[in-house]
Amino acid sequence: MKITVDQQGTSKVAIIESDDMIINNVQDALDLMASVNYSNEAYKLIIDKSNIVEAFFDLKTKLAGDILQKYVNYQVKLAIIGDFDGYDSKSLKDFIYECNNGKHVFFLKTKEEALQILHGLS
């Protein structure tokens, strides 16, 4: 796993890159958040959807809700990047829409979009 930090002023965004699955469960998500915070002092993260177990995108598993609630509770902003058009679930599409209209979690197509939004948040 490679972590790079994009800094603009006082805003730091950790960009997580890996060929492996990074988040398989809630504990993995917490460990990632703690690791990035400890080693990079960053409270904003970007991760590719390919690094998150597919069960996350099946809302019936409650994995997405459990993980994202932890990030919100710890005031860590998260952008998940990738192509989400392949999902047919109306509830997932609604979930993504609601997240993208909030201030903590975003589902975006590109790293550039994610950096722009995350750096724009305090």
Side-chain angles (χ1 to χ4, degrees):
M1 176 172 63
K2 177 182 165 194
I3 301 171
T4 55
V5 175
D6 186 278
Q7 185 164 354
Q8 294 182 14
T10 59
S11 175
K12 290 182 179 181
V13 177
I15 303 163
I16 316 302
E17 295 176 297
S18 178
D19 292 331
D20 300 321
M21 191 68 56
I22 296 172
I23 298 177
N24 292 291
N25 53 50
V26 175
Q27 191 59 53
D28 289 348
L30 287 170
D31 291 347
L32 176 65
M33 179 186 357
S35 175
V36 168
N37 183 348
Y38 179 76
S39 51
N40 301 290
E41 296 180 356
Y43 294 92
K44 301 172 187 176
L45 283 74
I46 296 173
I47 189 167
D48 194 280
K49 77 182 231 11
S50 66
N51 299 128
I52 303 172
V53 68
E54 193 61 32
F56 177 92
F57 301 99
D58 179 358
L59 296 183
K60 288 180 265 180
T61 68
K62 299 185 180 179
L63 185 59
D66 291 345
I67 288 173
L68 300 183
Q69 187 62 53
K70 300 283 187 200
Y71 275 65
V72 170
N73 288 348
Y74 287 103
Q75 298 179 359
V76 174
K77 315 267 191 248
L78 177 67
I80 301 170
I81 58 172
D83 183 6
F84 303 98
D85 293 338
Y87 294 105
D88 294 331
S89 167
K90 181 182 179 336
S91 57
L92 179 62
K93 289 179 183 186
D94 292 345
F95 181 74
I96 289 172
Y97 176 82
E98 290 298 324
C99 286
N100 286 346
N101 284 295
K103 296 182 188 246
H104 293 283
V105 179
F106 304 92
F107 293 83
L108 304 163
K109 291 207 182 284
T110 67
K111 178 173 66 173
E112 292 72 28
E113 281 181 285
L115 285 169
Q116 183 178 2
I117 286 176
L118 292 176
H119 280 309
L121 298 171
S122 55

